[in-house]
Amino acid sequence: ILFDDMAAGSRFRAAAAWSSSLQSSRRAFSARTPSRRRLEFAASLRDFTPHEGTADVGETNLPPYLTSAQLDGAGRGVYMETYGCQMNVADTEVVRSVLQGAGYSHAASLSGADVVLLNTCAIRENAEAKIWARLRAIRAERRKEAAGWRARGGLRPTRAVVGLLGCMGERLKGRLLEEDQLVDVVCGPDAYRALPRLLAQARGGQPALDVALSLDETYADVAPVREGSDGISAFVSIMRGCNNMCSYCIVPHTRGRERSRPSSSICAEVAQLAAQGYREVTLLGQNVNSYADGDGGDGGALVAPSPTRDGFTPMVPPPKASLRFAGLLDTLSAAHPEVRFRFTSPHPKDFPDQLLEVIRDRPNACASLHIPAQSGSTAVLAAMRRGYSRETYMRLIERVREVLPGVAISSDFISGFCGETEADHAETLSLLEAVRFERAFMFAYSLREKTHAHRRLSDDVPEPVKQRRLREVIDTFNAGARASNEEEVGTVHHVLVEALSKKSDAEWAGRTEHGKRVVLPRRPLPQLQLGELLP
């Protein structure tokens, strides 16, 4: 369908989006709502015909069957729980900002909250199982609370709207509304601006869903609300999505394609944090070091990337950009020498020498690098579609330690991936012994729907074998980490003091530039404040 009038075209696209959302939620709505009440809230044909003023619906994408007054939170309390990675923590801060701007308030606990939101993770089956259990527990708690009101002869309070946000919402979509009727709202990672509309729709009795992925949403203009922050460390999201398409990973399917925030908005947010007294900023992204500012807002010309380090093969060629991650880190660390900078989570292919040299030359750019290996076997790495071999990874580690002597390296490992043999597993153990990582995140493989492995590979390693191999990986890592820690005896580090020790008011607790926890005597120093660096 071609439209000569751009406003009409906009209305048609908006109506199509609402129609898709409604189709996903009607089945759940009809299962729980009497027919007369369904007719009251159901959309009719006139809801999707053009009306004056519907061309520009603003950030909330307001449909014709809701008014702006219905979007007002009117002080309703929102209780949130966050599961999963640091990106989810940062997303929760974005959600708080969106809802605060719509008139909602913060609820400190589940009891008495008008809205309950769970920001979820879908990276492994166990992560999703925890969410299902938590949703059932919330339902049981609310029913118990309602029964108590009835027993006391009081009026039953309005039932809280329960919403599920994040990767699990994007992965399962309408199933969350249909199965067990545990939630009223499902919102994907790129649809948080629509939450006021979705909550208004749910309050009207109709389950609401928006899980559309975006090619450009970065929430760059949303100022995060950091409730409960320690005022010392903060997360700053600089990009979203992932193009790597590793065969085991659900993230590209739940978070979409890579897109980077304009560097100007990142610099402004970090400057504000520094002015507020924050002393550590962690730059976040699903593939953080593939950051590429293509906005051109800083006046820089868009240029092609430097060649990828030998042996690494990207799944998608990197785009032209006016500023890449090394330049961004250099800019931030130079502008704020009083702030320590970290970043996560990176991909090994995106560690050019320029980035290593910035970390070497800027004392406040922490020499603590997360370089996920996933496996020590070239055959398994190929099946995972990681884009490098064991030999290539080891050359990178050697180069990192050549440029950054004393660097702390952490990693990720998956045990029991499709087709992994005992010989492959032994290669992973030998890589752990050779590198001696400071920290590691280690898990047994969990098959995820929609991934390449789900479609093309066989999850053929028995669960007991996976668990046995995982125990061996953990034991091998622990042995190396212990040896690394023993070598720290007698060394001197900068420690960022974060709080008093939980065990004694006579001690400080903090972290070194390598991210290691340190407890030290609360010795008298002039005007020592939380957030100061101690040599």
Side-chain angles (χ1 to χ4, degrees):
I1 301 175
L2 298 178
F3 286 88
D4 292 329
D5 179 70
M6 290 300 293
S10 175
R11 287 194 293 270
F12 177 81
R13 288 191 295 273
W18 302 327
S19 178
S20 175
S21 175
L22 286 169
Q23 288 171 8
S24 299
S25 60
R26 273 178 178 157
R27 292 188 298 273
F29 181 57
S30 62
R32 72 171 86 173
T33 311
S35 59
R36 181 170 296 177
R37 191 154 180 260
R38 289 204 303 271
L39 290 174
E40 179 183 349
F41 290 102
S44 66
L45 177 61
R46 68 175 179 271
D47 292 322
F48 301 105
T49 57
H51 296 279
E52 178 140 5
T54 59
D56 181 13
V57 295
E59 292 181 345
T60 55
N61 195 24
L62 182 63
Y65 53 85
L66 286 177
T67 66
S68 58
Q70 290 174 296
L71 299 184
D72 186 1
R76 293 180 178 89
V78 179
Y79 172 72
M80 293 193 67
E81 294 181 359
T82 304
Y83 299 83
C85 65
Q86 296 97 324
M87 279 295 295
N88 276 6
V89 175
D91 278 1
T92 292
E93 295 169 350
V94 167
V95 170
R96 288 190 182 122
S97 179
V98 169
L99 293 180
Q100 188 179 90
Y104 288 86
S105 63
H106 170 67
S109 65
L110 178 65
S111 177
D114 301 295
V115 178
V116 178
L117 300 177
L118 272 58
N119 196 357
T120 63
C121 173
I123 196 71
R124 279 173 291 276
E125 185 177 356
N126 284 345
E128 290 191 0
K130 289 179 182 178
I131 301 302
W132 284 114
R134 182 58 177 146
L135 287 172
R136 293 186 179 95
I138 289 172
R139 181 176 63 180
E141 190 169 338
R142 303 301 287 186
R143 286 177 175 174
K144 181 179 179 181
E145 181 179 315
W149 279 85
R150 287 194 298 270
R152 293 190 297 270
L155 293 176
R156 177 179 177 177
T158 303
R159 187 178 69 85
V161 172
V162 178
L164 190 140
L165 316 180
C167 294
M168 188 171 166
E170 167 59 35
R171 194 182 84 80
L172 297 179
K173 299 182 174 64
R175 285 171 54 187
L176 288 160
L177 297 174
E178 297 162 6
E179 294 184 12
D180 295 330
Q181 302 168 14
L182 292 171
V183 299
D184 308 294
V185 171
V186 177
C187 184
D190 292 347
Y192 296 144
R193 295 181 194 269
L195 269 170
R197 168 175 63 82
L198 298 175
L199 293 175
Q201 186 175 329
R203 286 199 307 273
Q206 180 169 307
L209 179 146
D210 191 338
V211 293
L213 291 175
S214 170
L215 291 175
D216 54 14
E217 180 62 89
T218 63
Y219 302 107
D221 60 332
V222 177
V225 174
R226 296 181 168 89
E227 291 179 356
S229 169
D230 61 6
I232 297 172
S233 301
F235 295 128
V236 174
S237 175
I238 68 169
M239 59 86 66
R240 300 176 73 85
C242 182
N243 291 346
N244 291 320
M245 299 299 293
C246 299
S247 62
Y248 56 83
C249 188
I250 193 67
V251 167
H253 304 280
T254 59
R255 291 278 185 170
R257 298 289 294 272
E258 290 177 8
R259 62 269 189 203
S260 298
R261 279 178 66 179
S263 57
S264 56
S265 74
I266 299 169
C267 292
E269 183 176 346
V270 172
Q272 184 180 32
L273 290 170
Q276 293 171 350
Y278 283 83
R279 289 298 174 260
E280 183 174 84
V281 169
T282 301
L283 305 176
L284 296 180
Q286 268 80 32
N287 193 30
V288 65
N289 54 344
S290 69
Y291 174 85
D293 183 2
D295 181 63
D298 59 356
L302 299 181
V303 298
S306 302
T308 305
R309 191 180 292 276
D310 287 346
F312 290 96
T313 305
M315 182 63 67
V316 176
K320 292 183 177 181
S322 59
L323 186 70
R324 299 194 185 276
F325 184 67
L328 177 67
L329 182 61
D330 189 42
T331 298
L332 293 173
S333 55
H336 306 286
E338 77 283 11
V339 177
R340 289 205 306 202
F341 289 92
R342 304 181 186 276
F343 58 91
T344 196
S345 178
H347 190 281
K349 67 177 171 55
D350 295 313
F351 278 97
D353 278 359
Q354 298 97 308
L355 176 56
L356 301 181
E357 289 161 3
V358 168
I359 298 169
R360 179 195 64 195
D361 297 338
R362 298 290 183 192
N364 56 330
C366 293
S368 176
L369 305 183
H370 188 64
I371 310 180
Q374 305 299 356
S375 175
S377 163
T378 294
V380 173
L381 290 170
M384 290 179 168
R385 303 206 301 184
R386 290 290 288 171
Y388 55 85
S389 65
R390 174 195 174 98
E391 292 72 24
T392 299
Y393 183 86
M394 289 301 298
R395 286 197 298 270
L396 171 62
I397 296 299
E398 291 168 4
R399 179 58 180 161
V400 167
R401 286 181 166 158
E402 178 184 347
V403 178
L404 300 171
V407 64
I409 300 175
S410 58
S411 191
D412 298 340
F413 288 94
I414 297 173
S415 293
F417 185 67
C418 306
E420 184 187 68
T421 66
E422 289 297 334
D424 295 324
H425 172 60
E427 291 216 62
T428 296
L429 299 181
S430 69
L431 185 139
L432 282 158
E433 292 169 344
V435 177
R436 261 186 18 188
F437 297 96
E438 302 278 349
R439 291 180 306 281
F441 300 91
M442 300 158 285
F443 302 94
Y445 174 62
S446 175
L447 183 67
R448 302 278 77 196
E449 293 178 1
K450 298 184 181 180
T451 61
H452 175 83
H454 179 256
R455 295 192 306 268
R456 302 293 180 86
L457 303 179
S458 174
D459 185 13
D460 54 1
V461 179
E463 188 62 28
V465 175
K466 289 181 183 180
Q467 295 301 325
R468 188 258 302 166
R469 291 177 183 173
L470 176 59
R471 287 194 299 271
E472 292 175 359
V473 164
I474 293 172
D475 290 344
T476 304
F477 160 74
N478 284 338
R482 273 194 300 271
S484 177
N485 286 337
E486 288 169 359
E487 292 175 0
E488 293 276 17
V489 176
T491 62
V492 177
H493 291 274
H494 281 94
V495 176
L496 178 63
V497 176
E498 296 175 325
L500 291 173
S501 170
K502 293 181 180 179
K503 294 184 177 180
S504 171
D505 288 347
E507 295 175 324
W508 292 115
R511 284 184 299 162
T512 70
E513 67 271 28
H514 291 164
K516 292 184 177 180
R517 289 287 177 184
V518 174
V519 175
L520 63 155
R522 193 178 173 184
R523 63 181 188 266
L525 290 175
Q527 298 180 341
L528 178 65
Q529 300 292 328
L530 294 181
E532 288 193 18
L533 286 170
L534 288 177

